[in-house]
Amino acid sequence: MKILFCRHGETQWNKLGKLQGHLDSELTAEGVQQAKQLGHHLVPFRPELIISSDLGRAISTAELVNEHLNVPIKLNALLRERCFGELQGLLRQEELNPQLWQAYDARFNANHIAIKNAESATAVLARVERFFASIESLGVNTLVVIGHGEWLRVLQNVAIGHAPWSEQQQVPANCEYFELAL
């Protein structure tokens, strides 16, 4: 099975620099265009199914991508972005506690981050592994997966033999995609 992993389109909060995590914001006009263009680029792969995170920004992206593909869309909560606990929904310049942003910036150095209720990199990896187990028997040749930056970064790190939290891989750009084969 060929899997095309894609990040959602640009959101209002991406544009503002607000950390989303499990929270959500609408796609920007640019994000809408990115998603439509992504759909156009994916046509030659002839995917048979889209699986999207259940967060709104990913669902919106999947629906826009699907304008070009016209395939079924399934939602899967295992694809949700990494939870950043009490830092979610905050802008760096609004934050009164700079230690939280320092902890966020240090997420490349260790599995756990010093933010209350934040998800560890290995917890994200456990969701990645459960997702792969859930798609083993799909019976499709090509699958499109619409997800989130940190989730995809963890997957890419592990795929090339690095620790899930490593800074070896960067967060993919909005509507950037990469291919993996099972």
Side-chain angles (χ1 to χ4, degrees), residues 44-64:
F45 292 100
R46 299 175 52 192
E48 301 155 75
L49 176 65
I50 297 171
I51 301 179
S52 171
S53 158
D54 64 343
L55 294 175
R57 58 193 183 269
I59 295 169
S60 295
T61 301
E63 290 169 347
L64 291 163

Side-chain angles (χ1 to χ4, degrees), residues 106-153:
R107 72 191 184 283
F108 303 116
N109 301 326
N111 179 36
H112 295 281
I113 50 180
I115 300 170
K116 184 178 179 184
N117 298 321
E119 191 174 18
S120 69
T122 54
V124 175
L125 178 59
R127 288 195 287 116
V128 169
E129 291 169 343
R130 288 196 316 269
F131 174 75
F132 274 100
S134 76
I135 64 170
E136 283 179 355
S137 62
L138 280 179
V140 298
N141 292 316
T142 305
L143 170 66
V144 171
V145 174
I146 309 288
H148 304 274
E150 280 289 315
W151 193 100
L152 293 168
R153 189 179 73 76

Side-chain angles (χ1 to χ4, degrees), residues 13-145:
W13 285 11
N14 290 149
K15 194 171 183 173
L16 292 172
K18 191 179 281 195
L19 189 61
Q20 291 178 112
H22 283 193
L23 302 180
D24 231 337
S25 69
E26 298 292 319
L27 296 181
T28 61
E30 175 68 17
V32 169
Q33 287 306 311
Q34 290 169 339
K36 288 180 178 185
Q37 186 175 24
L38 175 61
H40 177 72
H41 286 301
L42 296 179
V43 168
F45 292 100
R46 299 175 52 192
E48 301 155 75
L49 176 65
I50 297 171
I51 301 179
S52 171
S53 158
D54 64 343
L55 294 175
R57 58 193 183 269
I59 295 169
S60 295
T61 301
E63 290 169 347
L64 291 163
V65 163
N66 204 31
E67 289 177 4
H68 292 278
L69 304 178
N70 197 29
V71 298
I73 297 174
K74 293 184 178 182
L75 303 182
N76 192 320
L78 294 172
L79 295 170
R80 280 185 169 212
E81 179 59 294
R82 183 177 186 175
C83 178
F84 287 105
E86 65 184 357
L87 196 53
Q88 294 179 147
L90 299 178
L91 286 167
R92 191 176 291 261
Q93 60 267 32
E94 289 178 352
E95 178 51 45
L96 300 176
N97 184 349
Q99 288 80 15
L100 288 177
W101 283 105
Q102 289 168 358
Y104 173 78
D105 292 338
R107 72 191 184 283
F108 303 116
N109 301 326
N111 179 36
H112 295 281
I113 50 180
I115 300 170
K116 184 178 179 184
N117 298 321
E119 191 174 18
S120 69
T122 54
V124 175
L125 178 59
R127 288 195 287 116
V128 169
E129 291 169 343
R130 288 196 316 269
F131 174 75
F132 274 100
S134 76
I135 64 170
E136 283 179 355
S137 62
L138 280 179
V140 298
N141 292 316
T142 305
L143 170 66
V144 171
V145 174

